[in-house]
Amino acid sequence: MPQEPKKSRQTTKDPVETSVPAPLPLKLSLEDNLQEFSRRIGSSSDIVIRHYKSEAKPPLTLAFIYIDGLVNADTVNQAVLQSLMENSTLNGDSITTEAAFNLIKEHILPVGGVKEARTLEVLLPLLFDGYTLILFEGLQVALAADTSGWEKRSINEPTSQGVIRGPKEGFTESLRTGTAMLRRRLKTADLRIEEYTIGQRTGTGIALVYLKGLASEQVLTEIRRRLNAINTDAILESNYIEEFIQDGGLTPFPTIQNTERPDAMAGGILEGQVGIVIDGTPFALLAPSTFFNFFQSSEDYYQRYDISSFLRLIRYGAFFVSMLLPALYIAVTTFHQEMLPTTLLISLAAQREGVPLPAFAEALLMELTFDVLREAGVRMPRTIGPAISIVGALVLGQAAVQAGLVSAAMVIVVSFTAISNFVIPSLAIANSIRLIRFVMMFIAASLGLFGIMSFLMVLLIHMAGLRSFGVPYLSPVAPMIPRYLKDIFIRVPLWGMNMRPKTNLGKETRRQSPHQKPQPAEDAAKPSPAQPKPQGEGPA
Amino acid sequence: MNGKIGTTQAVLLVVNTILPTATVVLPIIISTYTEQDAPLAIILSTLAGLLIAWIVGTVIQNSNGAPFLDWVGEKSSPVVSVILGLLMLQFYLDTTATILREFVNFLKDNVLINTPITVLVILILFITIYMVRQGIEAIARVNSLVILLYLFFVPLYLLGLYSDLNVHHLLPMFDHSLAEITLASLTPTAWMSEVAVLLFLAPYLQYPQRAKIIGWTGLLFVAILMMLILITALMVFGPEFIKLSAYPGFATISILRVGRFIEKLDILFISYWVLSIYLKFAIFLFVTVECFKQTFRVSSSRPFIGALGLIIALECLFSWQSSAKLNNYNQEGRFVVFFLFNVLVPLGAVLLNRLHKARSKRKGLET
């Protein structure tokens, strides 16, 4: 039996490379061009090809191509088809094809964007962006009119980052809506938006948004380099970009923030971060991001500084509880019973008396049960969602304790851990802790508190070595920069944060005039020796 | 990953280079000789330590932060530098192995009584190798964070012991002869001389010209904390009972309580101590690797970290099996070895530099 020759590694082509055809210039014959279009895009039902022949002699022959659903039908009909068909000059005998081309391009088409293209490789992406293509018989150049207008979701409240006080609008899946929302918040000439198209099959639009002069050039260069280095066929969500450009490789910690709040992104951009808005998802990215950025919520700045500071401290506490509580419970009940006061020890021992499982197995069972419930809650239709809480609370909580499978203390530990996990404002870092918690539990069951401390040391050293686009992940705590701690563990009043923290390799810059602490009129009128007069700095 | 470290970070590195093992071992050694006069031994050893820091700082200032063995090679000859490098490598391998042994001995005695020592050694070694691979910059950052926790632990320690402190246990003062105090100060001086690790950290110092300040500040910080631990242990147990515990510092913590609701906090302090000793071990492993790198002039030391770690683990497991032997070395042998490598070697380097300068001047005059 003849054997098929083996394909060598070198001859196996990369699917991404094969999807890039050689540039094909347009031909003089309109029919040939249309045939080539049909060959490339097939005869899909949503592609509309409309022929037009003028009354002139010789007639001007054109073809319009657009994709139904991606274009605004009214714009196509009124601004393109009607304008051209009813134009008397185009129907006159004396006009040549070249003259008609220029006339259409310069005068007839009443749409904002008109582009000229000579190859199919330029025309096809425009077609998929909702442009209407106009091909001419006898010309090797075509026009593309911006008629895009597909159905979009309206602006809604963010689902994952809600606030009690503050703006209620979130990004949508539209890139342009996203950039417009940022533009509306940052009305400055320094705002820059750079666009990229990534993904050879998805052609996803990506916008790099930053404030010139505030964002570090070093960071910008690095982000641009990493974006340009992405060679993939599909970008469907911001996580695709995040995984391709984030530092740290196999780190469990996120080094890029994601947000669906335009106000949060504007706040980040104002502190020198760079925003990355991706078409097709309401989740945009912010980089560089340090560990402490993930504990800041937009609402921290929309309510009083004292309550914001308190809540921030609660979040750090919840972070440690979420990561360590089950592991500490296992370590204490297994290795270090002497740590517990006698009465508590007796109470715990009595609860665990009939439990057949060791503390680790008990904790693992409950944690996995909670994760199953949580995942089921996400997938389950909303109408039967409350059933989950009944099943979780009654069947798996109360019944399991009564059946003697788990102790009541363990149910309390797992519940408090789960609730603490939801206190953390960033889902990205909350998810990191979910995984780390399991490792901690295993180590606690094997080596007790020493194991927990050892793993904490590994995590600490890992985080200390991590960088986000050149910015140390634990800055400004390690390395310690005391004057930038005003917005880390607590938030000082806004009038106390005159300088913009230098966490992005950029320059430390002033964001507002000093001495803005409100004072009674008579005190403010007196010149104070401790407070020198402002040196004519402009308002923020 | 080996970036430059700032002056404060370097000071804090010096603190954790000395303190974690010193707090465990020193109180029993010092109080055996001098009982209630133990604080005087600390003062004497601090003065000696400051002198050593001056010598080490002078070497770093002269070399302007250049790798120590390369600089010695330039000033003398490459042969001298290689021989000195081999001897120092042996010294650092031994020292790191004893640190590891003290670490696992403590864990075995107090925390994980049933866990085999080999398991502990392998685990600690893997973690420390990972730390060293992350670089001195990352170690220095974590070290600063860990030392920051003193702000929580020191007040808790003092508050918890307040009701048990008996100042009369410190009396009568000056009850021991100068000879006894000098003898008691030898071991802490040996520990203070560990400031000489700066010789190998010098290439990573952002401002090597501040080496003396780094050494002095670090040693003063260490002296204050050692004094605090020793005086409180003495005030709680008295000069006689303190000798009965192998780890008086931790014995003091075991009686610590705040009100009627916070007590039995030894495991909390031990957990904190575990973090500190990891850092101490990482600093010494880093210095050992750096010494190896400079001696054998290898461009990247990363492939050798594991191999050096393995040698340290084997030495820890098979050369220091007996705790009595290790205690004996700490009391009697350590001072001689440390004096040789941490004092005489840098002093020799200072003299070598002076000689070299004098020769160059003479040559300049002759020409």
Side-chain angles (χ1 to χ4, degrees), chain A residues 478-496:
Chain A
M480 173 78 78
I481 312 169
R483 64 181 184 282
Y484 301 143
L485 294 176
K486 289 178 178 175
D487 194 16
I488 298 295
F489 298 111
I490 56 162
R491 176 180 83 72
V492 301
L494 291 174
W495 41 259

Side-chain angles (χ1 to χ4, degrees), chain A residues 289-304:
Chain A
S289 299
T290 66
F291 176 70
F292 302 99
N293 286 143
F294 293 93
F295 291 87
Q296 295 167 339
S297 157
S298 344
E299 208 172 14
D300 290 351
Y301 307 94
Y302 304 151
Q303 54 192 359
R304 285 178 54 83

Side-chain angles (χ1 to χ4, degrees), chain B residues 145-209:
Chain B
L145 281 182
V146 169
I147 288 187
L148 208 65
L149 291 177
Y150 275 119
L151 292 176
F152 167 73
F153 281 99
V154 171
L156 181 68
Y157 179 74
L158 292 175
L159 196 71
L161 286 177
Y162 183 73
S163 55
D164 297 300
L165 297 177
N166 183 355
V167 77
H168 296 104
H169 284 154
L170 294 177
L171 300 173
M173 284 182 87
F174 307 108
D175 196 32
H176 294 79
S177 67
L178 189 62
E180 281 172 313
I181 293 171
T182 311
L183 193 64
S185 68
L186 288 184
T187 312
T189 305
W191 247 282
M192 294 281 189
S193 74
E194 284 180 347
V195 71
V197 294
L198 282 175
L199 289 176
F200 288 95
L201 295 181
Y204 305 102
L205 295 180
Q206 210 165 6
Y207 306 104
Q209 293 303 321

